[in-house]
Amino acid sequence: MNIQIKSINEIREAARQFVNQIGDRRVFAFYGTMGAGKTTFIKAVCEELGVTDVITSPTFAIVNEYEAGDVEAHSSLFTLHSSLIYHFDFYRIKKLEEVYDMGYEDYFYSGALCFIEWPELIEELLPEDAVKVSIIEQEDGSRQVTA
């Protein structure tokens, strides 16, 4: 997967491309520096999946839960899986015990889509089949999304 986002005006199209390539994968680990656009891109992906809730970074809550709004439009994603989407932000995690205590396995292995920001802080807990997605800001301000 290789998606170029030249400007914020193209983010919905980039999110559409991403959603079309999800397939049967469930857990996506988003890598990128602070300000690279991880939250913004995940928000656009969730909107593309029909989430109508306010989508914000779960920096303090660690995890936000959303319901995919238009499951029929994305039936191939949700046929045998939950229509729930979990959005994690592990930026404030100080030790892995915090992640154990929140019951991360219940989320990661639920069959729901999981979008994870700052996965490098919990790398050893990621499922083997987690898709590693990099968002890199280019010199011209565009973003390169690769997986």
Side-chain angles (χ1 to χ4, degrees):
M1 180 182 315
N2 190 0
I3 301 169
Q4 180 78 20
I5 307 171
K6 293 181 182 173
S7 74
I8 193 71
N9 297 330
E10 294 180 1
I11 197 152
R12 284 303 293 263
E13 176 55 33
R16 189 172 298 114
Q17 289 176 39
F18 184 85
V19 167
N20 288 336
Q21 296 179 54
I22 286 177
D24 62 355
R25 297 166 293 187
R26 301 285 105 197
V27 179
F28 295 84
F30 287 83
Y31 295 83
T33 60
M34 182 75 72
K38 296 179 298 292
T39 302
T40 303
F41 187 68
I42 291 170
K43 178 179 187 280
V45 169
C46 288
E47 288 171 349
E48 185 62 28
L49 291 168
V51 173
T52 57
D53 295 330
V54 175
I55 302 163
T56 59
S57 177
T59 302
F60 295 101
I62 300 175
V63 62
N64 287 343
E65 178 181 310
Y66 309 116
E67 182 79 32
D70 192 0
V71 174
E72 287 183 27
H74 299 286
S75 60
S76 62
L77 288 178
F78 299 111
T79 302
L80 300 173
H81 303 285
S82 167
S83 62
L84 292 176
I85 299 169
Y86 296 114
H87 178 192
F88 300 86
D89 184 335
F90 290 115
Y91 182 75
R92 296 193 182 281
I93 290 295
K94 301 293 183 228
K95 44 191 172 153
L96 283 179
E97 286 76 25
E98 295 174 65
V99 184
Y100 286 116
D101 290 345
M102 70 175 284
Y104 78 95
E105 291 173 310
D106 293 337
Y107 296 103
F108 290 0
Y109 299 99
S110 67
L113 285 172
C114 295
F115 300 132
I116 303 166
E117 296 185 51
W118 299 103
E120 51 270 58
L121 299 175
I122 60 146
E123 193 83 36
E124 63 196 67
L125 302 179
L126 291 175
E128 284 183 25
D129 61 350
V131 178
K132 295 182 177 183
V133 180
S134 294
I135 300 179
I136 300 170
E137 183 176 8
Q138 306 297 306
E139 286 184 25
D140 63 1
S142 67
R143 304 300 197 269
Q144 188 71 37
V145 180
T146 57

